[in-house]
Amino acid sequence: MTSQQSEEQRDPYAQREAEKYDNPIPSREFISEVLETAQKPLRLFQIAKLVDVPEEDEERFEALSRRVKAMVRDGQLIRNRRGAFGLLQKMDLIKGRVLGHPDGFGFVVPEDGGKDLFLSEKEMHKVLHGDIIIASVVGEDRRGRREGMVVEIAEHANKQILGRLGFEDGLAWVRPNNTRITQDVFIPQDGLMDAKEEQIVLVEVIHQPSLRSGPIGKVVEVLGDYMAPGMEIDSAIHDHNIPNTWSEELLAELAEIPDEVTEADLEGRKDLRGLQLVTIDGADTKDFDDAVFAKRRKNGWRLVVAIADVSHYVKPGTDLDKEALKRGNSVYFPQRVVPMLPSKLSDGLCSLNPKVDRLCMVADLSITEDGKLDRSQFYQAVMNSKARLTYTQVHEMLTDKNSAYREEFAEQVPHVEALHELYKVLQKAREERGALEFDTTETRIVFDEERKIEAIVPVVRNDAHKLIEECMLMANVATARYLKWHKIPIVYRVHESPLEERLKNLRTFLADFGLVLGGGDEPTAHDYAEVSAKVAGEPYEHLVQTVLLRSMNQAVYTPDNKGHFGLNYEHYTHFTSPIRRYPDLLVHRAIRHAWLKQGVEGFMYDDAKMAELGSHCSDTERRADEATRDAVTFLKCEFLSHRLGEEYDAVITAATNFGLFVEIDPLYVEGLIHITELGEDYFHYDNARHCLKGERTGKVYRLGDRVRVQVAQVNLDERKVDLRFITDDSAQEEVSAEDGSPSSETPASEEQAEPKKRPKKRYYNKKKRGSRNSKGKS
């Protein structure tokens, strides 16, 4: 028996390797197994001997060497100082992504989902936010957190950094806009281009940081002056690595798509052009994903939800598809959108514009008298929207019989009223199902001609918003049920039950109000809804609702159908927005595959691929949320920077161990009242009840309390608003049945310490110095 035959018998993946390579080498799994069995790190020649790759076979030995190095690069192995290779888990090492904190310390978020590892400021000198590193556990810090040390950097995340250029004593540096990167980037004189002080520049990092030296870079682009209109959005796009340009290959591919729907496109489609389908969206919406129609039947309702057929134009493997996947979703900034698809598709061919033919994927649903889904049909069709309606128009049509809109859209009025009647039925079913519905205030920024904030106004959700939302929810549920029955892999929109620790803290908090959350270790949304109903109309209603909301998990995309806790659905996915969400596009492909009866085996994605795509889309969704939040926060801080010294009424939105976060009532801007502003007392943070309590006075500050504040300081670089405490209207002497203050159960990776001035980290090496839509969030 030859050594290669012996290897094939021992290597469980030898056949796979033989199919991929003419001269196969041992698989990664086999190499890991050999190291596991050896129970110690091994040098390359030792590994080669154990996997039957003789050094004399130079070609295979070199290939094995490359594979082992690739396993080190990917974090499967680590090479020690003696040149031996070992398994990470055997060497108490952790691979993960660095999450920087504005105060200089950071965390390692493990790839295996384990508990975060704390990195001190000293360790953070070696890395930048976003880097993939190998870290070792060196003990616990004074707060009981696992503390780590950087062993190796597997991947640098910041090839380019955006920031503001500064000069001092003839030396230049760039302070990153991303507050999680606290090290300034040193810029040599020959790397300045023509950039001037205080300009926002894009820097290419030519030397990554180390313990003794900060990052060094060169200016590659000057974006404009600091505080220039729109700069906050450009900064957010760069800081969060949001793709925002189209490649030449993609544009060439796009040019081959006809500008209008063709006769060939209609083949095999049902003709719905005579149906009274309409779109209902915001006044400033340009991309119309969905159109709706409802009709009363003898024993229920027919609801037709027609969704733009993006999958007809965006085929798997094309440049359009690859770019859409990379983006994951459209990103909506104030007055600007970074779309997932080029405007020819997002605002044109795929947008269900009025009075033009459009291709669509249809969920044709039968709904019972009591608002439950009875039957569903899915098919591809062609439609012609009869009207483009806004939420405001529809609401006025429904509430004002003398509205001019009833005359302007006279043909659509009966169908709008039918939709509203169906909405009432669906809303009642929602309440009986126990789905959660919290009253949260969304805001809209109104700009003046110079693109400075003129006002921040609340967005009022009326029955028109809710009508569309219920129609979309029903379509999403029907889609998930349909594809579950066909056993086709998809990404579900999963909202898991709250974690045990959060439930424990929630119950402790509710006990102060005499409230009990039912359901034992696995409460349902119905149990949450019962608590919410009991506090309806009480002064502390908003307080309790906020704590309930913050105890829950974030929804994600995954092929594991674990249901949607908040909506109380067993099956739920996203189907209704393929123009702006890649998961919906994947679901459309699955529907077409099922509709054409091509069988599960023939589908282009399996569960493993869907898991990978779902994880990526969850990440891009979070990326979009963080980017929009950064831009909006900057705009609000800039707005307040012109109001220093002004006084406002405010409401406490969170209590922490270093102070109170409050929202200024008329402005919807959040700021911090530092704990030292609360008076001559020692205030202690009650973790169980999430409130601050005075040791001597017994005063308690909790979420929902009314206070009077003065704008003391605004730090635009750090996007922080410091407020001066003036008076409190409702602080209590002790924690009573109406006391407590909620705070999200923040993971260690987002843990906050007492704010301090952002450190200017400039390190010297000889002469070099371095130093946030109502249709789709469920």
Side-chain angles (χ1 to χ4, degrees), residues 77-324:
L77 303 178
I78 188 72
R79 185 174 186 173
N80 64 24
R81 294 182 180 181
R82 305 181 72 175
F85 299 91
L87 296 166
L88 253 67
Q89 63 270 27
K90 292 291 185 180
M91 302 172 76
D92 292 328
L93 298 176
I94 294 172
K95 183 183 181 185
R97 183 177 296 276
V98 173
L99 191 65
H101 190 280
D103 288 336
F105 58 86
F107 298 88
V108 180
V109 182
E111 287 188 347
D112 61 8
K115 195 173 181 180
D116 294 351
L117 196 64
F118 177 76
L119 292 178
S120 66
E121 274 193 66
K122 180 181 177 182
E123 290 302 309
M124 284 297 294
H125 292 170
K126 308 174 186 176
V127 296
L128 294 176
H129 168 72
D131 287 349
I132 304 296
I133 69 167
I134 308 297
S136 63
V137 180
V138 294
E140 291 187 352
D141 69 355
R142 57 185 174 82
R143 297 174 61 180
R145 299 174 296 192
R146 291 195 310 164
E147 188 167 2
M149 180 180 73
V150 178
V151 174
E152 186 175 324
I153 300 174
E155 180 183 338
H156 290 291
N158 301 277
K159 305 295 190 296
Q160 294 184 325
I161 293 176
L162 192 77
R164 183 154 49 120
L165 183 63
F167 291 92
E168 185 177 307
D169 297 331
L171 300 175
W173 73 91
V174 167
R175 167 162 289 189
N177 281 5
N178 189 340
T179 58
R180 291 186 182 276
I181 301 177
T182 57
Q183 299 191 48
D184 292 346
V185 183
F186 169 69
I187 309 295
Q189 289 297 320
D190 59 359
L192 282 170
M193 292 180 58
D194 294 323
K196 298 178 177 60
E197 189 166 17
E198 292 294 294
Q199 286 188 319
I200 300 296
V201 297
L202 185 64
V203 171
E204 179 184 325
V205 180
I206 56 179
H207 176 76
Q208 294 287 341
S210 65
L211 180 60
R212 300 181 183 278
S213 172
I216 300 172
K218 63 178 181 179
V219 175
V220 293
E221 184 181 349
V222 178
L223 274 75
D225 294 331
Y226 181 60
M227 298 290 292
M231 190 58 66
E232 72 287 338
I233 294 177
D234 290 333
S235 297
I237 289 171
H238 280 279
D239 289 343
H240 295 276
N241 297 315
I242 294 173
N244 68 327
T245 58
W246 309 110
S247 68
E248 292 184 7
E249 293 79 8
L250 182 146
L251 294 175
E253 191 175 272
L254 187 67
E256 296 178 2
I257 299 176
D259 293 329
E260 302 292 340
V261 173
T262 66
E263 284 298 320
D265 292 329
L266 305 185
E267 187 177 345
R269 292 181 178 269
K270 190 169 183 176
D271 193 339
L272 296 184
R273 286 176 286 192
L275 198 64
Q276 287 289 327
L277 285 159
V278 297
T279 61
I280 304 175
D281 291 272
D284 55 353
T285 302
K286 293 181 180 180
D287 50 350
F288 307 119
D289 289 283
D290 52 86
V292 290
F293 167 82
K295 184 178 181 180
R296 193 77 167 83
R297 284 177 168 172
K298 184 177 181 181
N299 297 314
W301 297 83
R302 180 192 182 194
L303 171 63
V304 178
V305 179
I307 305 298
D309 192 357
V310 176
S311 61
H312 177 82
Y313 298 103
V314 182
K315 305 294 186 184
T318 60
D319 286 302
L320 276 169
D321 182 51
K322 292 174 184 175
E323 184 63 25

Side-chain angles (χ1 to χ4, degrees), residues 518-616:
D521 293 336
E522 297 183 0
T524 65
H526 200 278
D527 297 315
Y528 268 63
E530 284 186 350
V531 173
S532 184
K534 287 178 182 177
V535 299
E538 298 290 347
Y540 48 87
E541 176 184 4
H542 179 67
L543 163 65
V544 173
Q545 284 195 347
T546 303
V547 179
L548 291 172
L549 183 62
R550 291 179 177 178
S551 72
M552 294 189 289
N553 295 316
Q554 186 175 22
V556 296
Y557 295 106
T558 172
D560 300 324
N561 181 28
K562 298 178 182 178
H564 197 292
F565 177 83
L567 296 172
N568 208 6
Y569 284 133
E570 183 180 357
H571 313 296
Y572 190 72
T573 191
H574 275 170
F575 157 73
T576 56
S577 297
I579 290 177
R580 60 188 179 88
R581 290 190 308 227
Y582 195 81
D584 302 52
L585 176 56
L586 292 173
V587 167
H588 278 233
R589 289 171 180 166
I591 291 172
R592 176 171 281 111
H593 188 86
W595 183 69
L596 294 174
K597 297 181 172 61
Q598 294 176 331
V600 178
E601 295 77 12
F603 192 45
M604 65 192 80
Y605 307 106
D606 57 15
D607 281 333
K609 186 62 178 177
M610 280 295 183
E612 177 188 329
L613 294 171
S615 176
H616 170 75

Side-chain angles (χ1 to χ4, degrees), residues 5 38 145 367 386 425 493 528 546 587 605 627 651 657 695:
Q5 288 173 326
R145 299 174 296 192
I367 298 171
K386 299 301 180 256
V425 173
R493 181 63 167 177
Y528 268 63
T546 303
V587 167
Y605 307 106
V651 61
N657 61 353
E695 182 179 295

Side-chain angles (χ1 to χ4, degrees), residues 415-681:
H415 304 289
V416 168
E417 290 177 335
L419 281 165
H420 191 237
E421 189 178 346
L422 172 59
Y423 155 68
K424 291 178 180 178
V425 173
L426 295 177
Q427 179 67 14
K428 184 178 179 181
R430 179 193 183 106
E431 293 171 358
E432 292 175 353
R433 190 175 74 249
L436 298 176
E437 187 170 14
F438 297 117
D439 291 327
T440 56
T441 303
E442 293 184 15
T443 59
R444 179 172 62 88
I445 296 176
V446 179
F447 293 94
D448 60 21
E449 293 180 356
E450 297 180 353
R451 208 183 177 281
K452 297 295 182 181
I453 295 182
E454 186 175 284
I456 303 172
V457 298
V459 176
V460 179
R461 292 180 72 249
N462 55 42
D463 275 7
H465 293 84
K466 297 174 183 178
L467 178 160
I468 287 296
E469 182 179 317
E470 288 298 330
C471 291
M472 298 305 110
L473 291 176
M474 187 59 74
N476 287 336
V477 169
T479 303
R481 197 171 80 168
Y482 174 77
L483 293 173
K484 181 72 175 176
W485 187 83
H486 280 279
K487 299 180 179 179
I488 294 181
I490 61 166
V491 282
Y492 293 94
R493 181 63 167 177
V494 170
H495 184 220
E496 292 193 69
S497 303
L499 299 174
E500 182 181 348
E501 185 178 352
R502 293 188 181 187
L503 285 175
K504 181 181 177 181
N505 289 338
L506 173 61
R507 287 192 163 102
T508 299
F509 171 81
L510 293 176
D512 283 337
F513 295 83
L515 298 169
V516 177
L517 176 67
D521 293 336
E522 297 183 0
T524 65
H526 200 278
D527 297 315
Y528 268 63
E530 284 186 350
V531 173
S532 184
K534 287 178 182 177
V535 299
E538 298 290 347
Y540 48 87
E541 176 184 4
H542 179 67
L543 163 65
V544 173
Q545 284 195 347
T546 303
V547 179
L548 291 172
L549 183 62
R550 291 179 177 178
S551 72
M552 294 189 289
N553 295 316
Q554 186 175 22
V556 296
Y557 295 106
T558 172
D560 300 324
N561 181 28
K562 298 178 182 178
H564 197 292
F565 177 83
L567 296 172
N568 208 6
Y569 284 133
E570 183 180 357
H571 313 296
Y572 190 72
T573 191
H574 275 170
F575 157 73
T576 56
S577 297
I579 290 177
R580 60 188 179 88
R581 290 190 308 227
Y582 195 81
D584 302 52
L585 176 56
L586 292 173
V587 167
H588 278 233
R589 289 171 180 166
I591 291 172
R592 176 171 281 111
H593 188 86
W595 183 69
L596 294 174
K597 297 181 172 61
Q598 294 176 331
V600 178
E601 295 77 12
F603 192 45
M604 65 192 80
Y605 307 106
D606 57 15
D607 281 333
K609 186 62 178 177
M610 280 295 183
E612 177 188 329
L613 294 171
S615 176
H616 170 75
C617 291
S618 297
D619 289 342
T620 62
E621 180 184 43
R622 283 191 292 271
R623 178 180 69 186
D625 287 342
E626 290 173 3
T628 53
R629 184 167 56 247
D630 276 2
V632 169
T633 301
F634 183 91
L635 284 167
K636 289 182 175 181
C637 286
E638 196 272 334
F639 179 62
L640 269 189
S641 68
H642 303 292
R643 288 160 175 77
L644 297 178
E646 293 187 9
E647 296 182 10
Y648 298 97
D649 290 322
V651 61
I652 297 174
T653 56
T656 71
N657 61 353
F658 54 82
L660 302 169
F661 283 100
V662 304
E663 183 177 83
I664 298 173
D665 275 347
L667 305 179
Y668 302 96
V669 179
E670 193 173 69
L672 173 72
I673 302 174
H674 195 266
I675 196 167
T676 55
E677 287 283 338
L678 298 182
E680 296 179 355
D681 199 352

